[in-house]
Amino acid sequence: MSSKKTPAGEPKGYAEAMSELEGILRELDSASVDVDVLSVKVQRASFLVEWCTSRITAAQATIDELVAGLPEDDGDYDEADDDDDDEDYDDDDEDYDDEDDDE
């Protein structure tokens, strides 16, 4: 049984689709492309481009939905609200001078 994918066969994932598409493009760029399979290769490449585009669109919609659900930031950042004690940190020294360690 042949393991070749038909134009209607879906790849297992985005990375596989991109890898297959890159392989097809390399074949089409070569001087030894078989004219008899050229049409099939172009059809498959077209299918893969559409398939990848739909995955990207779906991922973007999911991301947009998740971001829309995040609490809004009022943009008023007050450094006084920052609980970190950054003043005690010396960039040149790898040790963090924490006053609590002196006790």
Side-chain angles (χ1 to χ4, degrees), residues 28-55:
L28 295 177
D29 281 341
S30 74
S32 63
V33 66
D34 185 354
V35 175
D36 295 327
V37 297
L38 182 62
S39 148
V40 173
K41 296 285 184 183
V42 171
Q43 283 179 324
R44 181 64 182 170
S46 176
F47 169 80
L48 291 170
V49 168
E50 288 178 25
W51 190 89
C52 289
T53 300
S54 72
R55 294 308 174 273

Side-chain angles (χ1 to χ4, degrees), residues 8-9 27 30-31 38 40 44 49 53 56 59 62 64 67 84 98 101:
E27 287 180 54
S30 74
L38 182 62
V40 173
R44 181 64 182 170
V49 168
T53 300
I56 292 170
T62 300
D64 290 345
V67 169
D84 291 340
D98 192 352
D101 289 344

Side-chain angles (χ1 to χ4, degrees), residues 59-95:
Q60 183 64 51
T62 300
I63 291 168
D64 290 345
E65 184 178 314
L66 291 170
V67 169
L70 293 174
E72 290 196 29
D73 183 10
D74 62 6
D76 293 332
Y77 176 74
D78 187 3
E79 204 170 307
D81 292 337
D82 190 0
D83 291 335
D84 291 340
D85 200 10
D86 292 337
E87 306 82 58
D88 292 340
Y89 186 77
D90 183 5
D91 287 338
D92 295 331
D93 188 7
E94 291 183 13
D95 295 331

